[in-house]
């Protein structure tokens, strides 16, 4: 490791000789300057790793010198040292993006700590994070062998997300590859768990909260005491929620976060209709045949969400002033943001925002999006960038100003698919890459969760011989015809409809305005 180079600027530099000797013994190279002007000359001619800058010097002041340093090299870390505890000095220094702020008299260990924070932070964090994950790896592996309830799976998945977000901040690809393999194994075990237990969840009051029970069990209780904005961001994974949480946290404080389970198929037509209707797909078909659309039916599959919601509110005995907005374009988002104040008297305002789902589909169809969202890390980053500049954030800001409670959730997640699974079906077979429904389906048993009696998992069928299959892990269905082209086109795209932690375990969050 190269010797770090320090420029120390102080008009009384001779008094700091003990500090400089201390740092030199710690393998730091220290250059000194006695004025701001001398410091700027040194910086123009020599490459330094960090600057210690006295605020109170004759000639140009420390703050003036700081401004000049930032113009010469904006990325050079500067630690401001001052005798004064005046708040305005701190504000100006921090506003100028200093690395640290120290009050005289400083001792050598303070200086050393500041150096480590500024120069060795990433290395120390990387080493500590890697060591911590190595310890946690064994515990996660043991937990994975023992986990046997839907609560434990939600907890394990959140733990994996935590380490994914931690490891993406450090430069240790080896650790990240280990985590990826652990996620793959987790999904394998999770698919077995769902295969064994999913049918019982519809019969058992001890099952998880799912799409069709979400409104009654989690949303309805939040509507009692305050006017509420309900935001459903289509296709938002748990890690994407955590990516945007900090931005929302500027305006709202979180009071509840609870993972819940999407029904199968983990697709908008099924899961989101189930949220708004409070019914399973089979119940929707039976009770509202004019609103429910099967996979092979013509027309849009989510055209009656407002009607489903109205029927559910009536069934639950909720007499509310409410309205519903589906945002599927920038223009519609801007219109709602501009007019949001007109909804201030509503008890419930529902906003369905489709951008993240559109983003995942665009990755399949557009090469530039494939490049921008080439990994889960990049996909999270793209989601965050969109959210920071979206009309949805403007809507949330206005909701805060109006004192509205914010309830945020999604209908299902998505997974980056990598492995093809061959399937054969007739021309009536549905087109989704992560689930299929139809007659006489031929498939690889070990690669799918099969429902040969769909009604037992509350799914409608077109005829008595129809069945459903759901892709496991990161599989996607491919037909034998033109197989290689099909696989090449869809590999490494984001799809949903199947069985995975990413698709099924999704966030429900309640927030109060700050």
């Amino acid at each position: 490791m190269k010797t770090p180079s320090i420029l120390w600027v102080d008009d009384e530099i001779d008094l700091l000789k003990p500090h400089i000797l201390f740092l030199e013994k710690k393998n730091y190279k220290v250059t000194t300057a006695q004025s701001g002007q001398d410091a700027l000359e040194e910086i123009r001619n020599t490459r330094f790793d960090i600057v210690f800058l006295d605020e109170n010097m004759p000639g140009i002041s420390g703050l003036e010198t700081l401004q000049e340093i930032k113009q010469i090299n904006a990325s050079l870390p500067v630690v401001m040292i001052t005798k004064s505890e005046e708040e305005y000095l701190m504000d100006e220094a921090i506003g100028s993006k200093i690395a640290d702020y120290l009050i005289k008299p400083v001792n050598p260990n303070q200086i050393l700590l500041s150096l480590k924070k500024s120069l060795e932070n990433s290395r120390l964090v990387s080493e500590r994070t890697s060591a911590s994950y190595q310890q946690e790896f064994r515990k996660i592996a043991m937990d994975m062998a023992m986990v046997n309830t839907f609560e434990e799976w939600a907890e394990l998945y959140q733990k994996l997300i935590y380490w994914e977000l931690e490891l993406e901040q450090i430069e240790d690809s080896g650790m990240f590859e280990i985590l990826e393999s652990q996620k793959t194994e987790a999904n394998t075990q999770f698919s077995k768990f769902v295969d064994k237990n999913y049918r019982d969840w519809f019969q058992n009051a001890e099952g998880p909260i799912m799409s069709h029970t979400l409104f009654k069990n989690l949303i309805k209780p939040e509507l009692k005491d305050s006017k509420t904005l309900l935001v459903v961001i289509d296709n938002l994974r748990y890690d994407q929620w955590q990516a945007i949480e900090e931005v929302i946290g500027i305006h709202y404080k979180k009071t509840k976060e609870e993972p819940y389970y999407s029904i199968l198929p983990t697709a908008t037509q099924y899961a989101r209709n189930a949220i708004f209707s409070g019914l399973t797909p089979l119940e929707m078909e039976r009770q509202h045949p004019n609103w429910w659309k099967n996979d092979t039916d013509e027309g849009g599959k989510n055209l009656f969400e407002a009607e489903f919601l109205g029927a559910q509110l009536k069934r639950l005995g909720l007499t509310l002033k409410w309205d519903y907005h589906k945002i599927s374009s920038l223009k519609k988002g801007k219109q709602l943001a501009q007019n949001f104040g007109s909804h201030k008297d509503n008890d419930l305002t529902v906003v369905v925002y489709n951008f993240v789902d559109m983003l995942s589909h665009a990755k399949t169809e557009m090469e530039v999006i494939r490049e921008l969202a080439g990994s889960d890390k990049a996909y999270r980053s793209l989601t965050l960038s969109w959210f920071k500049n979206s009309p949805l954030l403007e809507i949330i800001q206005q909701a805060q100003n109006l004192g509205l409670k914010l309830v945020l959730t999604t209908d299902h997640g998505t997974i980056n698919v990598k492995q093809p699974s061959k399937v054969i079906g007739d021309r009536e077979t549905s087109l989704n890459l992560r689930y299929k429904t139809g007659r006489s389906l031929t498939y690889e048993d070990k690669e799918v969760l099969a429902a040969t009696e769909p009604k037992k998992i509350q799914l409608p069928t077109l005829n008595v011989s129809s069945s459903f299959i759901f892709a496991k892990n990161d599989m996607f269905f491919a037909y034998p015809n033109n197989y290689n082209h099909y696989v090449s086109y869809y590999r490494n795209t984001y799809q949903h409809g199947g069985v995975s932690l990413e698709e099924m375990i999704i966030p429900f969050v309640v927030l109060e305005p700050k």
Side-chain angles (χ1 to χ4, degrees), residues 268-455:
T268 304
Q269 168 193 353
Y270 293 87
R272 202 163 77 208
N273 276 329
I275 292 171
F276 287 118
S277 68
L279 303 170
T280 66
L282 184 60
E283 291 168 337
M284 281 185 268
E285 184 195 47
R286 289 173 174 171
Q287 295 184 32
H288 303 288
N290 294 332
W291 297 343
W292 171 258
K293 299 286 186 181
N294 282 306
D295 284 82
T296 55
D297 291 338
E298 293 293 325
K301 306 295 191 290
N302 286 76
L303 299 180
F304 297 99
E305 289 171 358
E307 289 82 355
F308 274 132
L309 178 57
Q312 179 174 198
L313 291 172
K314 185 176 180 181
R315 193 170 66 250
L316 294 174
L318 294 173
T319 53
L320 305 173
K321 182 179 180 183
W322 66 279
D323 57 21
Y324 165 94
H325 307 270
K326 184 185 292 186
I327 307 300
S328 54
S329 69
L330 180 63
K331 182 180 179 182
K332 284 187 176 180
K334 286 184 173 179
Q335 286 175 345
L336 181 58
Q338 289 168 359
N339 300 319
F340 191 77
S342 64
H343 304 287
K344 66 181 185 300
D345 295 327
N346 287 348
D347 299 303
L348 174 64
T349 302
V350 179
V351 176
V352 172
Y353 220 97
N354 274 359
F355 180 83
V356 179
D357 186 57
M358 292 161 61
L359 181 63
S360 70
H361 290 299
K363 189 187 176 191
T364 303
E365 298 156 8
M366 298 174 62
E367 191 62 37
V368 66
I369 303 297
R370 281 181 184 251
E371 188 75 23
L372 288 171
S375 65
D376 286 351
K377 177 181 177 181
Y379 191 34
R380 282 190 294 273
S381 177
L382 202 55
T383 304
L384 176 60
S385 179
W386 156 72
F387 183 73
K388 284 181 174 178
N389 299 283
S390 70
L392 178 56
L393 180 56
E394 293 179 45
I395 291 165
I396 288 171
Q397 289 169 331
Q398 291 193 50
Q400 178 213 7
N401 293 334
L402 293 172
L404 303 186
K405 179 186 291 185
L406 174 62
V407 175
L408 187 144
T409 190
T410 185
D411 45 6
H412 56 78
T414 187
I415 188 168
N416 195 355
V417 296
K418 295 173 183 173
Q419 304 301 323
S421 177
K422 283 187 180 179
V423 65
I424 300 172
D426 61 25
R427 66 179 60 180
E428 294 288 309
T429 302
S430 61
L431 300 176
N432 190 285
L433 297 184
R434 289 280 291 168
Y435 78 91
K436 298 287 183 189
T437 180
R439 293 174 298 180
S440 305
L441 295 172
T442 303
Y443 48 85
E444 295 288 337
D445 286 335
K446 65 184 180 183
E447 295 173 355
V448 309
L449 186 157
T452 55
E453 298 178 90
K455 289 183 180 179

Side-chain angles (χ1 to χ4, degrees), residues 258-269:
E258 183 171 339
Y260 83 99
Y261 278 68
S262 170
I263 61 168
L264 294 175
T266 46
T268 304
Q269 168 193 353

Side-chain angles (χ1 to χ4, degrees), residues 162-181:
Y162 170 81
W163 284 109
E164 183 174 9
L165 297 179
E166 288 290 296
L167 290 173
E168 79 171 22
Q169 305 297 327
I170 68 174
E171 297 177 8
D172 191 337
S173 58
M175 282 293 104
F176 205 83
E177 287 171 10
I178 292 170
L179 175 71
E180 286 296 304
S181 68

Side-chain angles (χ1 to χ4, degrees), residues 166-203:
E166 288 290 296
L167 290 173
E168 79 171 22
Q169 305 297 327
I170 68 174
E171 297 177 8
D172 191 337
S173 58
M175 282 293 104
F176 205 83
E177 287 171 10
I178 292 170
L179 175 71
E180 286 296 304
S181 68
Q182 199 162 48
K183 280 174 61 182
T184 301
E185 175 60 21
N187 263 325
T188 299
Q189 298 304 323
F190 179 69
S191 295
K192 292 177 183 176
F193 171 77
V194 173
D195 202 354
K196 180 180 177 182
N197 295 282
Y198 185 72
R199 184 189 300 182
D200 294 339
W201 291 348
F202 292 95
Q203 322 297 331

Side-chain angles (χ1 to χ4, degrees), residues 34 39 42 109 143 241 383 478 480:
Q34 291 186 288
E42 289 282 0
N109 282 321
D143 289 347
W241 149 245
T383 304

